[in-house]
Amino acid sequence: MNFKDKEIKFVVDGKELGGFAVYPKTNCPHLLPSHIDSLNRLSEEKKDLILSNSCSECQDQSENWFCLECNLIGCSREVKGHMAKHNSETSHSIALSFSDCSFWCYNCDSYIITGHLEALQRKFSAIKFPDEPKIKKVEEKKEEDKVEEKKVDEPAEKKDEVKKEEVKKEEKLDEAFDKLKITESEFSYQALIEGIKSKKYNRIAFLTGAGISVSAGIPDFRSPGTGLYSKLEKYNLPYPEAIFELGYFRNNPKAFYTLSNGFLTAEVRPTTSHFFQKMISDMGVLEQSFTQNIDSLELEAGLPEGKLCQAHGHMRSCHCINCHKEKDINKMMESIKTETIYSCECNGLVKPDIVFFGEKLPIDFFKKSNLLKYVDLAIVMGTSLVVFPFASLVSMIPKEVPIVLINRDESLQGESNYLFMGGDLDQNVVKIVKDLGMEEQYEKIKKEALAKYEKKNE
Ligand code: OAD
């Protein structure tokens, strides 16, 4: 399935697949980032479960679901309906099918899919059905050949039949995971470099997220171990995203103020990715940069304000959430630094103008998203693309427009006009700048921006 398809169809190798009783919903409101985390953990830590599992109640192994809320395994309605029973008892809504790797929301009573779920679906399918011919590609065949060679060289002590079976199974799993790094595309790295150099691409859009500010010292949200959401135990939150939820903030503002001290108040300088965007802007080929980040480091790098759309707001101003009066941002920052709650005269809480879950995105986001219809290249950097409606910007880019994803994880599964550059973001951007032959321009931008920054913070 292509993420960019607005009318969702399950198409693999040009063929529409059946098997779904209902077309999946693409905007299930019950899907939470914590569900994606749960799936990531399943794919990394408990991948054996995908192959062998049994219902926690009746131990049936034929057709089971995996609850993304509490990780319980329950059999389908075709067996004894223990997962449906679990849902009615707990309201846990979303489950992964171990039979065909689809996702079902019991509250929407529908299959569901998003770009991110689809990426995970492919991941699980590759584990579950490693021999399925339809997902094989040329590179994968080469990888298979390598594994075959390895098998011939298996050490003597592993010749024992049982061990051999285990090794084979492990290899199959590893192979399945390795396959994910391969992205077949008609859009090559060479085409990217030549297209930027020649200004064939002269309406470029950036779609960015927390990953681009990680090297500035700001943690991202969802990277296991280092991301903000994995470090919130001491706040006793019901779930990590609550820290940025309006409803939770109203009742527990202290948690936000405490957490933000350090996270939102640190002195940070723009990174390679910010300077790169300024460079593209200076070339006169930047249509718009859309970011989920609230740090405004693009502006620090020198990007003109009109070229930046801060979809989740920023920290340059603040308002009372009760009477909506603008308040003093310096006082706000002081309150965060001293971890004291900043209240308005009306007793309402004051909050920086960042978008919390449960709040509308700025009107600028909806207006500017239309610009994506006219872009000729999109570069997506440092985002897991799990938060909507930002993630849906990808579907507004015309199908024929190439998309480059520069990210550690392949958070987007594209179609033919798609290039994935995995690994470290800064390193990838440095490589692009070098291959464009624009190191000098880049260094000048960096030097000027950092000099301005130092002066401002003297
Ligand atoms: P995430 O933390 O969800 O994703 C960051 C992405 O950047 C991940 O895919 C990482 O693998 C990648 N990444 C991090 N460091 C990297 C590096 N050095 N090199 C390459 N890739 C790297 O952050 P966002 O997608 O921005 O919203 O999260 C979106 C929204 O979720 C945020 O704006 C925030 C949060 O809840 C609100 O609070 C409303």
Side-chain angles (χ1 to χ4, degrees):
M1 191 196 76
N2 295 322
F3 184 36
K4 283 162 75 183
D5 277 353
K6 277 181 211 146
E7 276 186 28
I8 301 295
K9 282 189 179 132
F10 286 81
V11 180
V12 176
D13 289 351
K15 285 193 189 114
E16 199 170 328
L17 299 180
F20 285 88
V22 206
Y23 268 118
K25 274 180 89 161
T26 55
N27 57 352
C28 166
H30 309 104
L31 181 69
L32 300 172
S34 55
H35 293 142
I36 301 290
D37 289 343
S38 168
L39 287 167
N40 277 326
R41 274 199 302 279
L42 174 67
S43 71
E44 303 300 342
E45 294 162 17
K46 305 183 203 162
K47 48 190 178 184
D48 280 353
L49 259 191
I50 299 163
L51 295 174
S52 67
N53 57 78
S54 47
C55 172
S56 59
E57 250 186 274
C58 67
Q59 275 67 54
D60 187 278
Q61 296 197 331
S62 58
E63 215 176 304
N64 285 317
W65 290 89
F66 176 77
C67 173
L68 303 196
E69 202 78 44
C70 66
N71 298 356
L72 175 133
I73 297 171
C75 62
S76 85
R77 287 184 252 235
E78 306 306 318
V79 185
K80 289 188 179 149
H82 286 130
M83 184 50 87
K85 182 174 160 246
H86 173 65
N87 161 258
S88 64
E89 286 167 0
T90 61
S91 315
H92 292 176
S93 42
I94 299 177
L96 161 77
S97 159
F98 280 134
S99 298
D100 62 5
C101 304
S102 57
F103 297 94
W104 181 267
C105 174
Y106 282 87
N107 288 355
C108 296
D109 207 27
S110 167
Y111 285 104
I112 58 164
I113 196 77
T114 67
H116 207 82
L117 285 183
E118 196 249 342
L120 284 156
Q121 191 175 44
R122 285 170 65 103
K123 207 170 186 175
F124 296 138
S125 296
I127 297 166
K128 180 99 190 163
F129 313 113
D131 298 318
E132 198 65 62
K134 67 175 180 284
I135 56 167
K136 280 193 188 144
K137 293 174 183 167
V138 184
E139 289 92 325
E140 293 166 3
K141 180 80 183 78
K142 283 185 204 150
E143 286 297 311
E144 271 176 8
D145 291 345
K146 273 190 216 153
V147 173
E148 281 306 320
E149 279 165 28
K150 251 201 243 162
K151 279 181 196 159
V152 175
D153 297 330
E154 213 66 85
E157 66 266 26
K158 286 195 178 162
K159 277 186 182 152
D160 166 79
E161 228 17 70
V162 185
K163 270 191 184 166
K164 236 183 181 179
E165 273 311 302
E166 274 173 16
V167 171
K168 239 182 179 173
K169 198 168 141 190
E170 252 328 288
E171 279 179 347
K172 268 196 172 172
L173 292 174
D174 288 345
E175 189 192 348
F177 276 92
D178 284 348
K179 280 178 190 171
L180 293 165
K181 290 175 195 140
I182 300 162
T183 309
E184 272 217 335
S185 170
E186 284 160 21
F187 186 60
S188 65
Y189 179 70
Q190 197 59 24
L192 169 74
I193 297 299
E194 278 164 15
I196 297 179
K197 245 188 202 169
S198 64
K199 297 202 179 172
K200 173 183 168 193
Y201 303 122
N202 56 24
R203 303 191 81 155
I204 301 176
F206 285 98
L207 269 57
T208 67
I212 72 165
S213 294
V214 165
S215 58
I218 306 173
D220 68 5
F221 295 91
R222 298 181 180 80
S223 282
T226 56
L228 185 72
Y229 289 154
S230 62
K231 294 185 170 168
L232 296 176
E233 290 90 14
K234 62 178 167 178
Y235 298 100
N236 273 332
L237 300 167
Y239 43 91
E241 290 78 10
I243 197 88
F244 297 120
E245 237 179 52
L246 195 59
Y248 189 80
F249 176 72
R250 277 185 210 281
N251 299 319
N252 307 279
K254 184 85 180 163
F256 171 75
Y257 277 85
T258 313
L259 167 88
S260 304
N261 188 14
F263 172 59
L264 297 179
T265 52
E267 274 189 17
V268 283
R269 291 165 182 72
T271 71
T272 313
S273 310
H274 300 103
F275 298 129
F276 175 53
Q277 294 185 63
K278 161 74 169 152
M279 193 185 90
I280 294 292
S281 170
D282 283 1
M283 287 173 75
V285 294
L286 176 66
E287 183 69 34
Q288 188 69 205
S289 169
F290 295 87
T291 187
Q292 295 162 93
N293 299 349
I294 55 171
D295 53 34
S296 303
L297 287 179
E298 294 82 359
L299 303 180
E300 296 286 352
L303 202 71
E305 217 169 317
K307 289 286 176 191
L308 181 67
C309 174
Q310 291 182 281
H312 293 168
H314 54 75
M315 293 286 296
R316 302 192 301 282
S317 55
C318 58
H319 282 81
C320 166
I321 63 166
N322 184 35
C323 69
H324 308 293
K325 242 194 222 156
E326 176 152 14
K327 306 297 293 177
D328 183 348
I329 188 64
N330 295 322
K331 265 195 189 162
M332 174 88 234
M333 296 312 272
E334 222 22 70
S335 302
I336 293 179
K337 280 181 189 158
T338 52
E339 297 179 15
T340 47
I341 295 161
Y342 181 16
S343 304
C344 180
E345 301 78 50
C346 76
N347 279 332
L349 294 162
V350 181
K351 179 181 86 54
D353 290 344
I354 59 182
V355 176
F356 273 25
F357 289 108
E359 282 190 305
K360 269 194 190 145
L361 269 63
I363 189 77
D364 193 46
F365 171 80
F366 298 100
K367 280 188 187 158
K368 284 184 168 169
S369 59
N370 281 318
L371 292 173
L372 287 169
K373 290 183 202 149
Y374 309 106
V375 302
D376 50 21
L377 173 71
I379 303 178
V380 183
M381 305 192 287
T383 174
S384 57
L385 287 175
V386 292
V387 175
F388 283 79
F390 190 92
S392 63
L393 288 181
V394 177
S395 62
M396 298 188 69
I397 300 165
K399 263 170 150 312
E400 65 281 5
V401 170
I403 298 183
V404 182
L405 171 68
I406 315 176
N407 207 45
R408 192 171 286 140
D409 310 307
E410 196 169 2
S411 49
L412 169 69
Q413 295 281 326
E415 45 190 318
S416 54
N417 265 348
Y418 165 71
L419 172 72
F420 172 52
M421 299 179 69
D424 185 69
L425 229 166
D426 285 357
Q427 281 173 12
N428 272 310
V429 173
V430 167
K431 179 175 160 54
I432 293 174
V433 171
K434 187 168 170 285
D435 292 340
L436 287 171
M438 295 188 70
E439 289 132 304
E440 221 172 274
Q441 292 91 322
Y442 172 89
E443 285 304 328
K444 189 166 171 270
I445 287 166
K446 182 174 169 180
K447 202 170 152 198
E448 281 174 9
L450 290 182
K452 256 191 204 161
Y453 177 89
E454 302 304 341
K455 203 163 171 210
K456 201 173 90 184
N457 290 293
E458 258 170 15

